[in-house]
Amino acid sequence: MALPIDPAALESGDIGEKRATLEMDHEAAVEHVRSVFTEAGFGVPVEFSPSELLNEKVDADRDPYYVLGACNPEMADRALDATDDRIGALFPCNVVIWETAPGVQTVYHVSIMRAARLLGMAPDDDVMADIVADTGELVEEAFSNL
């Protein structure tokens, strides 16, 4: 199956990719990221550890990996309206923390608002552009405080 877009042609900014490195243990990093995103206006209604699940279920022997499902209710409401509710299939906005070495964590995020536009789930109009810009500012604030 041919993809409708060339992933190799996408740049980091096209998907709102953000990455940071934290020098602390994994549990402290998860707590720190949760706190920083909460201070930036996000709630965290969903969180889980894929590494714990996979290590238990399929003996994967994965290093610590954690997902914080962050959500800003105002942005979510606006995005649902702008996309005829379809963007909900991508909710919540995930922030991932994984251990790259003992005491070194990577924090990673991509914009579901930008991804939804690329996938055709959201319109390429001024309303959605404002939502992308507003959510981008919140994420930028959070990452600047990591």
Side-chain angles (χ1 to χ4, degrees), residues 7 14 24 46 50 66 89-90 92 99 110 119 123-124 127-128 142-143:
D14 294 332
M24 59 181 70
V46 177
Y66 205 81
L90 300 177
E99 187 171 74
V110 295
L119 294 170
D124 188 14
V127 171
M128 197 64 200
F143 267 82

Side-chain angles (χ1 to χ4, degrees), residues 78-79 81-84 86 113 116-118 120-133:
R78 289 171 57 197
D81 286 345
T83 65
D84 295 326
R86 295 185 303 159
M113 304 303 177
R117 288 171 82 185
L118 289 170
M121 295 171 70
D124 188 14
D125 62 12
D126 290 342
V127 171
M128 197 64 200
D130 287 345
I131 295 168
V132 168

Side-chain angles (χ1 to χ4, degrees), residues 79-135:
L80 285 168
D81 286 345
T83 65
D84 295 326
D85 296 328
R86 295 185 303 159
I87 200 168
L90 300 177
F91 282 177
C93 302
N94 290 325
V95 181
V96 183
I97 304 106
W98 69 81
E99 187 171 74
T100 55
V104 180
Q105 315 303 317
T106 295
V107 182
Y108 184 79
H109 168 77
V110 295
S111 167
I112 65 166
M113 304 303 177
R114 289 180 180 271
R117 288 171 82 185
L118 289 170
L119 294 170
M121 295 171 70
D124 188 14
D125 62 12
D126 290 342
V127 171
M128 197 64 200
D130 287 345
I131 295 168
V132 168
D134 292 346
T135 56

